[in-house]
Amino acid sequence: MGCDGGTIPKRHELVKGPKKVEKVDKDAELVALWNYCALSQEILRRPIVACELGRLYNKDAVIEFLLDKSSEKALAKAASHIKNIKHVTELRLSDNPAWEGDKGNTKGDKHDDLQRARFICPVVGLEMNGRHRFCFLRCCGCVFSERALKEIRAEVCHTCGAAFQEEDVIVLNGSKADVDTLRSRMQEKRMRARVGKKTKKPKAAEAVSHPAAGEASEGPSGMNMGKPEASSLDPREKKAGKPPCGATKRSIAQSEESEAYKSLFTTHSSAKRSKEESAHWVTHTSYCF
């Protein structure tokens, strides 16, 4: 069968060998990681946020994901660890002055340089294209290259001056080992937050159940031994809010309140008028004398 007309089949057409494993283009993979949102697969645009695992997202895509949980499983898996908006940090990125984007591509025949990045490190000047390791500070959101943090060691941010610790440094689009380390750190942090909330609830319940130390306490005979002054007041005086008989009246001007509060009363100096500003007894105006 076959081989009609003098055709000679080759060996690879008759013998089926093992299939070759398809290799992923590294340049295309880096472009997808650093230029596109990990959730919506759209191009990154400000405001850009990053999660605790170092993945990049569009902020509006994260908000839509949190509001609508019925999204596709393939996309929802990339953000399954994001439970609320506090689990992401808005990034402060430095623009690359050499990046033109689509400004000069009016005819559609311009070559796109995949190595050119939109953002750079503000300290060293390295482009954020995946060739160099970048990280951000969770406390302030500033983005730097890892080389800048190693060469210029400091306990404050190089851009905004905010103090940070080693736990605040998160690697962007790190390797599998980096992601595993960040995931374990994230789980420990959330576990500590849950334990802290559980310990606060019993303390609040005890504060409500037990009265304060200054409240009245009953003696052995059942009488109230706390505040004799309050018990001696007449119930009508209590309703009217009158002070006890022995109490001395004090004016608002002698009190320790602020000047804005004192100015609400007529005893304040700003409420008193001079003779020139007072009204005439006939015309009730200060202009006719």
Side-chain angles (χ1 to χ4, degrees):
M1 298 176 65
C3 298
D4 297 336
T7 58
I8 301 174
K10 296 181 181 179
R11 185 179 184 279
H12 71 273
E13 296 176 356
L14 300 176
V15 181
K16 292 183 178 180
K19 294 183 178 180
K20 295 182 179 180
V21 180
E22 296 181 358
K23 295 182 180 179
V24 181
D25 188 6
K26 292 184 178 180
D27 293 335
E29 187 179 5
L30 292 177
V31 170
L33 286 176
W34 294 91
N35 293 338
Y36 290 87
C37 174
L39 182 59
S40 63
Q41 303 300 322
E42 297 179 356
I43 191 168
L44 290 172
R45 57 183 180 275
R46 284 189 170 96
I48 300 173
V49 297
C51 64
E52 294 171 307
L53 302 182
R55 296 168 183 164
L56 299 174
Y57 308 90
N58 288 326
K59 190 173 183 180
D60 55 353
V62 175
I63 295 174
E64 290 177 3
F65 168 74
L66 294 174
L67 295 177
D68 185 13
K69 294 292 184 178
S70 62
S71 52
E72 298 180 6
K73 294 183 179 179
L75 299 178
K77 187 178 180 180
S80 58
H81 58 284
I82 301 176
K83 305 301 180 183
N84 54 57
I85 198 64
K86 293 182 180 180
H87 291 165
V88 295
T89 305
E90 186 172 346
L91 301 181
R92 297 180 179 180
L93 297 165
S94 302
D95 293 326
N96 185 4
W99 186 76
E100 297 179 357
D102 296 334
K103 295 179 181 178
N105 193 11
T106 56
K107 297 180 180 180
D109 56 351
K110 185 180 178 181
H111 171 69
D112 293 334
D113 189 4
L114 299 179
Q115 302 301 323
R116 187 71 65 187
R118 295 171 55 190
F119 309 108
I120 60 173
C121 173
V123 180
V124 185
L126 296 176
E127 295 186 355
M128 199 174 73
N129 53 7
R131 300 293 179 183
H132 310 279
R133 287 168 62 89
F134 272 73
C135 50
F136 75 96
L137 304 181
R138 183 168 172 77
C139 56
C140 60
C142 297
V143 180
F144 305 97
S145 61
E146 194 176 45
R147 184 189 300 180
L149 293 178
K150 289 182 179 180
E151 291 181 356
I152 307 175
R153 295 186 176 274
E155 297 181 354
V156 296
C157 177
H158 300 314
T159 303
C160 63
F164 68 92
Q165 300 177 356
E166 188 177 356
E167 298 180 353
D168 297 328
V169 181
I170 298 178
V171 180
L172 289 172
N173 291 327
S175 61
K176 187 177 180 181
D178 295 332
V179 174
D180 294 338
T181 304
L182 293 174
R183 190 182 298 275
S184 60
R185 187 193 302 178
M186 176 187 67
Q187 292 174 355
E188 291 177 1
K189 183 178 179 181
R190 294 185 182 181
M191 186 63 67
R192 290 197 301 266
R194 291 175 185 173
V195 173
K197 288 182 180 179
K198 289 181 180 179
T199 54
K200 287 181 181 179
K201 289 182 180 180
K203 291 181 180 180
E206 290 178 2
V208 173
S209 59
H210 296 288
E215 290 183 0
S217 59
E218 293 186 358
S221 60
M223 296 178 63
N224 191 353
M225 305 296 293
K227 296 180 180 180
E229 296 86 4
S231 60
S232 62
L233 288 175
D234 189 22
R236 289 177 295 178
E237 293 182 356
K238 289 182 180 180
K239 293 181 181 179
K242 295 181 179 180
C245 298
T248 58
K249 294 183 179 180
R250 188 176 61 175
S251 64
I252 297 297
Q254 298 176 355
S255 63
E256 298 179 355
E257 302 292 338
S258 62
E259 293 295 328
Y261 179 77
K262 293 178 181 179
S263 62
L264 299 175
F265 299 90
T266 57
T267 56
H268 192 256
S269 60
S270 61
K272 297 179 180 180
R273 298 181 179 180
S274 60
K275 185 177 180 181
E276 297 178 355
E277 294 178 350
S278 59
H280 194 260
W281 66 277
V282 176
T283 60
H284 299 281
T285 60
S286 58
Y287 305 106
C288 299
F289 286 96

